Amino acid sequence: MSNTLISSNNGLDRIDAKLRLLRRLPGVTGALVASMDGHPLASDLSGHSAGAAAAVVASSLALAERLGELTGAAGLEELQVRTSLGYASVHAVNNQLVLAVITNHTVNLARLRLDIREVIAALAADGRAFHS
Amino acid sequence: MATFSFKLLVAGPFGVGKTTLIEQISSVPVVGTEVSTTGNEARRKATTTVGIEYGVYLLDEGDLQVELLLFGTPGQARFSAVREIAARGMDGLLLLVDGTDPSSWPEAADLYRSFAVGRTFPLVIAVNRLGDDDPTPAALLETLAAEPGAIIVHGQVTEADDARRFLIELLDLILAVESDDLPVGPEQLQRSPA
């Protein structure tokens, strides 16, 4: 399954391209794609180790999913953390990948959400392509 | 009747059986954070814990009721941040080690040392996949180099009686440490299943 993603350089290039797309939005300061079990696949995080960030992002998503179950829904759409300096938002892609986006407070959140939705759809489509 | 609650941390290298142990013994549905493995880890098993998992073991001794809150942790080095969060306020550590896989022992020793930084705690080293009567491999003891107060037990996490025994040993140590605050001593706890 996602093993294919990790071993496919072509796939990694495509993920990198999508992260660069996100970075074009003003206020976005970093982005990361990891496997659900915390291995970094593509990372654009200044000043942070991709490995450590991937593990924390995967753990947070798994715990947030349990948290989300308190609402009665299974599955989670978004985990957003707000700090004095900005936002970290974490998204599951096809229950296979994790996308994390880091921003400062100048970001246009509505626009960011649209861009993220686009990237998730593209990553998910790639994932399906790798499966077939 | 007295009711006590202790937080036990369950730690050990990847694939040693931490989730199996908690699922084996918990009296409530375990809240887990298992996801599919990828890469090399996928060759060893299909799923792995990436967050914290939570189960409860209830011990009813009539005049003493103890609730053991079991916090399972991820085994891989990359999840050290999660382990540190889970360890906050723990009353004791159950360190699971695979007695049949010497290559995993240095990792188990690293885990133990990471928890032991700046704190002391009751410690039970549960050697999974070794029989009760098997001798503890000398190299395992040497590698772990745990404090002399630690208790070493053998068994199979897939056996409910063994899993229970691991917890009772740790509870005994905790009660011995805290006996000043408790109405009963560890000698009053049964070793057989309640």
Side-chain angles (χ1 to χ4, degrees), chain A residues 2-3 37-39 55 59 62 66, chain B residues 32 35-39 50 78-79 82:
Chain A
S2 35
N3 295 346
D37 64 337
H39 292 291
S59 300
R66 298 293 88 78
Chain B
V35 303
S36 297
T37 47
T38 65
V50 297
R78 64 183 180 277
F79 293 116
V82 177

Side-chain angles (χ1 to χ4, degrees), chain A residues 1-3 6 35-39 51-52 54-56 58-60 62-63 65-66 96, chain B residues 31-42 48 50-52 74 76 78-79 81-82:
Chain A
M1 279 201 11
S2 35
N3 295 346
I6 290 171
S35 60
M36 296 289 279
D37 64 337
H39 292 291
V56 167
S59 300
S60 301
L63 284 171
E65 274 171 350
R66 298 293 88 78
Q96 191 190 13
Chain B
V31 180
T33 52
E34 285 201 286
V35 303
S36 297
T37 47
T38 65
N40 288 335
E41 287 167 12
T48 188
V50 297
I52 294 169
Q76 299 93 329
R78 64 183 180 277
F79 293 116
V82 177

